RNA sequence: GCGGACGUGGCGGAAUGGCAGACGCGUUGGACUUAGAAUCCAAUGGGAAACCGUGCAAGUUCGAGUCUUGUCGUCCGCACCA
């Protein structure tokens, strides 16, 4: 069979029959199967796309054949830095390169033979899409979930531009490897922290990979501790955050982050010079230095003292950049006896160390950071760990100086980018009225084409006079637009909602359409999005729910990560490794079906692994074998249903076992074992076909089921065989075979007979026997009887259908 | 340092606590061929055998690749978060 030509033929027929769309009128249960949409930065689909979309499409086809009304849309995450960087390098406008790439990829995606519903296609760079991305921004702004503040961002001094966090790899610019510095800019943020608790607690109920959930938990970083208010001798109050309030009597100094608002205020005149120098030094420190835990700690004394509220003791106030301004209160109490960092710092600067915790039943070596018995701490001596913390927190609370406090590591999401190729932020800056949101009826704020996007440290849009100059929607006076664009992750935070109603020009989506299709039942994509896209999308869903636009809590009920296909050398495929495998070469040689089938068979889906083309020949051979066998069987003229004996029963058993296992495996995304079951069935069928006398009716019936089973795996191939063997309609319209439990009951089962847990022999026994009967018949076996002679059987373990274990004294 | 995952033939990989290595690749032998390719058939964890085998060491169990503890190694994520 010439797979390539039949693939084109079937793709055309499917399209003509509109076979693949979601049926809005259908009564069947809906199933929303979604793959993460493609990013059109490269011109072509790579192996990773095929690996994500091919097997998932097989799952979708399987569910469709099972009777679900499957919705499987596809689109393009088309804004973003790679297109812009490509433009900077080559001068090709991002819009032009993106549109060209999308056109190519659309063609390739269709050639894959996936049942994407192209009527719902979306491209995030289209005005009809980013209009609604801007609308989302406005809703969040209205709700108080979008705000502007000055913040440090990643700045690449060589590229003269701000970088997204994900573009900073180990503190260096992803493109030029220059060390990134921090720079304060006024930025837009989304208040994702408002949902920290729900984003955390909601994870428990999700059918997601444990690893991904744990990464999100980690990222959200909930910590339960205590806030304690200290006051300087001059009366300035500030709070510290600690998880170890049981050590509060051991505080010998406090530390503020250099960026702390009180840092300068608390500095005495004689310390002014040193402190200013330190603050300047800390601000200059680059990401690598600042993030390194191995780095020696530095700090400076402010000259002021703070009063410890629990014991009235005055302790020096220091500044040090090992305290982060953005976490907790930006200030900590230092207990060098019981914290490694404080200990190192105290040693270096000669600060006192006071032990207030003792190891239970052992020598206390400082710094001692484990839980222990409280000593030298007022009435709390003798308490331990959690008990001590509860008591001391209650005490602090009673003093009115703070109390228990939950903190999250999660920060608000910085969404503004000083970049061209993204959705413009829909606000106007008016000299009179301040920040004014663009009225919804004026959306979209169009992204102009003729922009100088070469980086020079300012937002490219800022240089576009026509774009920037506008009138204030409130007072009508002259005003400026916001020159920044939105992070592309904003676009992808709601695209799964837009698919449900992709062509709506009045709303981002109709509530009814979304209610009908969402949430996504199965979402498949790379694990690298664990703490970005997958978190942002959850946030959007919850925010939209609270604004009344939808009525569910989580966007993705079930999540599957495909593994990564590595180069043949075991490294990630990359130009620098020179190990890129092009899917096109294989698709041209073996066809899309064989290529997809190999991706399913050659790897454990969630693991991935190094590419090897040995296996692709094997699956091509398998398809060939199936074709010959099915066509041969189909050509048998007679249709007699005789004989029907043990051989026939075995074949029927093989069929139903395959059906049952394939069904289970597909459900679990265990594609490699599913294909193995098909191979077993083919082996059984070929074996039976080799018999001299055979039941042709049974053969034909099993061959027919085989073709149906193959439908999700090799869709073009299956349709071709289906047609050639007289099938009506498309395989996709047939019912996926259902295993008959009766056929799976065998008359006899093979038992492993063990004596003292060692296998002695194997024996076939009728399935109908009770455990006692099994035990009795095993004991009667001559070989067993001999071995048991003169011994007592102390115990007999029978595992029905499996084994018998005789424990002999 | 913290968190997560994983260590099984020559290779990719299978195994609800119950016959380890399904399925496939590769290899070997055979058939068909002038010959090769393709195809088909058979064998294939190690060992002559008793037996031994799931990184290593213990433990629980009638029974452990699977559960528990420790240990070594690999991969991934986070990392001065007080």
């Amino acid at each position: 069979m010439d797979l390539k030509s039949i693939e084109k033929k079937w793709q055309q027929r499917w399209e003509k029959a509109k076979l693949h769309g979601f049926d809005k009128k259908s009564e069947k249960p809906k199933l929303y199967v979604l793959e993460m949409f493609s990013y059109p930065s490269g011109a072509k689909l790579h192996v990773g796309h095929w690996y994500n979309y091919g097997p998932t499409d097989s799952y979708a086809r399987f569910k469709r054949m099972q009777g679900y009304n499957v919705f499987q849309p596809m689109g393009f995450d088309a804004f973003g830095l790679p297109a812009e960087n490509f433009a900077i390098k080559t001068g090709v406008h991002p819009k032009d390169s993106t549109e060209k790439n999308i056109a190519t990829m659309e063609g390739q995606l269709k050639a894959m033979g996936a049942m994407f519903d192209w009527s719902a296609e979306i491209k995030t760079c289209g005005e009809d899409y980013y209009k609604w991305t801007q609308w989302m921004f406005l809703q969040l702004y209205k709700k108080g979930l979008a705000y502007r503040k000055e913040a440090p961002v990643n700045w690449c001094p060589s590229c003269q531009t701000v970088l997204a966090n994900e573009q900073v790899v180990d503190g260096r610019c992803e493109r030029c490897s220059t060390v990134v510095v921090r720079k304060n800019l006024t930025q837009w943020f989304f208040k994702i922290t408002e949902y920290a608790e729900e984003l955390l607690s909601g994870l428990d109920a999700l059918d997601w990979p444990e690893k991904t959930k744990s990464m999100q938990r980690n990222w959200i970083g909930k910590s339960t501790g205590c806030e304690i208010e200290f006051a300087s001798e001059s009366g300035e109050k500030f709070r510290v955050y600690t998880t170890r309030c049981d050590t509060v009597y051991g505080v010998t100094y406090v530390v503020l982050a250099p960026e702390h608002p009180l840092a300068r205020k608390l500095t005495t005149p004689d310390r002014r010079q040193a402190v200013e120098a330190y603050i300047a030094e800390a601000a200059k420190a680059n990401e690598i230095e600042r993030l390194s835990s191995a780095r020696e700690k530095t700090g400076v004394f402010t000259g002021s003292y703070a009063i410890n509220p629990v014991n009235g003791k005055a302790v020096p106030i220091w500044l040090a950049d090992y305290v982060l301004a953005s976490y907790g209160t930006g200030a900590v109490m230092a207990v060098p006896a019981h914290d490694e960092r404080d200990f190192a710092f105290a040693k270096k600067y000669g600060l006192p160390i006071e032990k207030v915790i003792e190891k239970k039943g052992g020598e206390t070596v400082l710094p001692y950071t484990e839980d222990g018995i409280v000593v030298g701490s007022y009435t709390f001596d003798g308490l331990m760990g959690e008990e001590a913390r509860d008591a001391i927190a209650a005490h602090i609370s009673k003093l009115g100086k703070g109390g228990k406090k939950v903190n999250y590591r999660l920060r608000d999401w910085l969404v503004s980018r000083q970049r061209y190729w993204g959705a413009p932020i829909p606000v106007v800056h008016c000299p009179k009225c301040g920040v004014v949101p663009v009225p919804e009826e004026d959306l979209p704020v169009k992204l102009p084409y003729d922009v100088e996007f070469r980086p020079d440290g300012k937002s490219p849009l800022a240089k576009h006079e026509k774009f920037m100059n506008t009138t204030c929607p409130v007072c009508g006076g002259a005003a400026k637009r916001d020159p920044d664009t939105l992070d592309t992750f904003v676009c992808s935070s709601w695209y799964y909602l837009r698919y449900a109603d992709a062509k709506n020009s009045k709303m981002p989506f109709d509530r009814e359409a979304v209610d009908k299709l969402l949430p996504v039942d199965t979402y498949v994509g790379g694990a690298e999005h664990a703490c970005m896209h997958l978190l942002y999308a959850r946030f959007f869903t919850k925010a939209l729910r609270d604004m009344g636009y939808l009525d569910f809590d989580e966007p993705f009920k079930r999540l599957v990560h495909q593994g990564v296909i590595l180069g043949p050398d075991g490294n990630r495929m990359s130009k620098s490794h020179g190990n890129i495998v092009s899917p096109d070469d294989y698709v041209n040689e073996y066809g899309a079906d064989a290529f997809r089938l190999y991706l399913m068979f050659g790897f454990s889906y969630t693991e991935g692994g190094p590419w090897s083309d040995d296996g692709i020949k094997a699956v091509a051979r398998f398809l060939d074998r199936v074709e010959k066998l099915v066509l041969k069987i189909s050509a048998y003229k007679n249709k007699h249903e005789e004989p029907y004996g043990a051989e026939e029963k075995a074949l029927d058993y093989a069929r139903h076992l395959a059906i049952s296992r394939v069904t289970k495996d597909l459900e679990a995304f265990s594609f490699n074992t599913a294909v193995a079951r098909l191979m077993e069935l083919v082996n059984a069928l070929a074996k039976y076909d080799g018999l001299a006398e055979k039941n042709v009716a049974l053969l034909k019936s099993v061959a027919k089921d085989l073709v149906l089973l193959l439908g999700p795996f090799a869709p073009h191939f299956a349709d071709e065989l289906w047609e050639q063997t007289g099938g009506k309609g498309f395989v996709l319209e047939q019912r996926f075979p259902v295993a008959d439990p009766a056929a799976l009951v065998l008359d006899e089962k093979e038992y492993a007979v063990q004596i003292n847990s060692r296998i002695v022999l194997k024996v076939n026994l009728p399935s109908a026997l009770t455990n006692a009967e099994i035990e009795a018949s095993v004991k009667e076996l001559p070989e067993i009887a001999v071995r048991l002679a003169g011994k007592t059987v102390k115990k007999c373990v029978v595992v029905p259908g499996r084994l018998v274990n005789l424990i002999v004294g």
Side-chain angles (χ1 to χ4, degrees), chain A residues 146-163:
Chain A
Y147 66 93
R148 227 160 93 96
K149 74 165 182 196
E150 191 177 289
V153 295
N154 306 305
W155 177 263
C156 173
S158 157
C159 301
Q160 284 281 293
T161 182
V162 159
L163 299 172

Side-chain angles (χ1 to χ4, degrees), chain A residues 131-161:
Chain A
K131 170 180 180 176
W132 300 114
T133 303
Q134 293 172 338
W135 181 91
M136 293 284 163
F137 179 95
L138 294 177
Q139 307 314 307
L140 291 170
Y141 181 77
K142 270 197 254 168
K143 178 88 179 161
L145 291 171
Y147 66 93
R148 227 160 93 96
K149 74 165 182 196
E150 191 177 289
V153 295
N154 306 305
W155 177 263
C156 173
S158 157
C159 301
Q160 284 281 293
T161 182

Side-chain angles (χ1 to χ4, degrees), chain A residues 193-329:
Chain A
T193 51
E194 185 127 329
Y195 286 89
E197 186 56 43
E198 199 197 335
L199 287 168
L200 181 68
S201 60
L203 287 170
D204 295 335
L206 292 178
D207 182 10
W208 283 23
E210 234 4 89
K211 182 186 174 177
T212 305
K213 292 207 270 186
S214 110
M215 273 169 70
Q216 284 206 2
R217 283 191 194 105
N218 226 291
W219 188 263
I220 295 166
K222 183 177 182 174
S223 130
T224 307
C226 186
E227 267 188 20
I228 305 171
E229 185 178 287
F230 282 65
S232 73
E233 289 176 316
S234 58
E236 295 291 346
K237 289 176 180 170
F238 62 92
R239 287 187 163 209
V240 300
Y241 176 73
T242 180
T243 54
R244 289 300 303 273
C245 67
D246 53 329
T247 66
V248 69
Y249 287 86
V251 173
T252 59
Y253 63 103
V254 294
V255 191
L256 310 186
E259 302 87 351
H260 195 283
L262 290 176
R264 288 187 170 88
K265 222 167 180 178
L266 289 168
T267 301
T268 56
D270 59 311
R271 300 295 302 156
R272 175 82 43 209
Q273 211 182 345
V275 167
E276 287 299 339
Y278 185 76
I279 292 175
E281 195 59 34
K284 253 190 354 203
N286 65 48
E287 286 293 311
I288 293 183
E289 289 161 7
R290 182 93 188 219
L291 288 177
S292 164
S293 53
R295 173 187 176 216
E296 192 176 346
K297 301 196 184 338
T298 60
V300 66
F301 178 42
T302 60
S304 297
Y305 291 82
I307 307 300
N308 185 339
V310 295
N311 58 12
K313 215 168 125 182
V315 293
I317 303 171
W318 283 66
L319 304 184
D321 70 358
Y322 77 89
V323 174
L324 305 176
S326 50
Y327 181 75
T329 58

